[in-house]
Amino acid sequence: MEYSKEEIIEILGVHLEQEHNLPPLASRIYAILILTDQDGLTFEDCLEKRGASKSSTSTSLNLLMNMGVITYFTKPGDRRRYFKTAKKKTFFLSKLQESLNRIETEKHIITLVMGYHKKYSPKKYEEGQVRTQIYLDYVNENEKILKKSIDKLESILKE
């Protein structure tokens, strides 16, 4: 099945909205910027393609810029800003780093709880040790994979 550009924008937009907690308009604008074949899109282009209000479009563009996933440039003799996806900080890199932070926090909390149980509730510690270690093994493997993926992405973004 072949999808039109508009259908792909909607599919990607819904995904960004649901899985990455982006507001609906920001996710659609980001999807448009990902799929455009132009060097960049102006504010007016974004406004026209989504049919949203000026303030909502501006808020969405500012959110995406603050996240570091889009940037803008200007052209000589043209006062308009042209928006495009950022090269140095991709959405994928941001999401990998967020996932790594969550895993590191969870690993720290699990270790704290197990340390507490070991000291103050040895029976509880013994009962949960095998299950907890299986989960920690999973967390540690994911942490390694995330770090490796982040390193790879950062190295190609430096080029």
Side-chain angles (χ1 to χ4, degrees), residues 87-88 90 150-159:
K87 298 288 184 224
K88 294 296 179 190
T90 67
I150 288 168
D151 288 345
K152 282 182 183 178
L153 260 178
E154 287 177 336
S155 72
I156 64 169
L157 292 172
K158 289 178 185 176
E159 297 173 359

Side-chain angles (χ1 to χ4, degrees), residues 4 15-16 27 29 99 101-104 123 144 153:
S4 70
H15 173 75
L16 293 168
S27 65
I29 289 173
S99 294
N101 290 340
R102 275 194 307 277
I103 281 181
E104 288 173 341
K123 183 179 178 190
K144 285 181 202 171
L153 260 178

Side-chain angles (χ1 to χ4, degrees), residues 33-104:
L33 291 170
I34 288 170
L35 293 173
T36 188
D37 55 355
Q38 299 173 6
D39 291 338
L41 298 176
T42 64
F43 177 83
E44 292 76 19
D45 293 333
C46 295
L47 194 62
E48 178 186 312
K49 290 182 186 306
R50 289 314 309 162
S53 71
K54 287 182 179 183
S55 64
S56 295
T57 301
S58 178
T59 299
S60 294
L61 287 167
N62 285 328
L63 170 67
L64 294 168
M65 283 192 299
N66 288 337
M67 289 174 65
V69 296
I70 70 167
T71 187
Y72 74 88
F73 63 96
T74 57
K75 296 179 180 180
D78 188 349
R79 293 178 22 190
R80 295 180 297 177
R81 296 189 301 172
Y82 290 81
F83 298 93
K84 65 179 184 172
T85 57
K87 298 288 184 224
K88 294 296 179 190
K89 182 178 180 186
T90 67
F91 190 77
F92 297 136
L93 181 58
S94 297
K95 289 301 164 187
L96 288 173
Q97 289 168 332
E98 287 174 19
S99 294
L100 179 60
N101 290 340
R102 275 194 307 277
I103 281 181
E104 288 173 341

Side-chain angles (χ1 to χ4, degrees), residues 108-121 125:
H108 176 70
I109 290 169
I110 291 168
T111 304
L112 282 175
V113 170
M114 288 306 289
Y116 180 86
H117 285 320
K118 187 174 186 175
K119 186 173 183 178
Y120 297 106
S121 299
Y125 174 79

Side-chain angles (χ1 to χ4, degrees), residues 100-153:
L100 179 60
N101 290 340
R102 275 194 307 277
I103 281 181
E104 288 173 341
T105 300
E106 186 166 351
K107 184 176 163 181
H108 176 70
I109 290 169
I110 291 168
T111 304
L112 282 175
V113 170
M114 288 306 289
Y116 180 86
H117 285 320
K118 187 174 186 175
K119 186 173 183 178
Y120 297 106
S121 299
K123 183 179 178 190
K124 213 172 194 181
Y125 174 79
E126 286 297 321
E127 289 172 353
Q129 188 177 13
V130 173
R131 288 187 311 258
T132 302
Q133 192 55 54
I134 291 169
Y135 186 70
L136 276 175
D137 291 344
Y138 162 80
V139 169
N140 287 328
E141 285 301 312
N142 276 299
E143 182 181 37
K144 285 181 202 171
I145 291 167
L146 282 167
K147 285 179 178 179
K148 186 177 177 181
S149 297
I150 288 168
D151 288 345
K152 282 182 183 178
L153 260 178

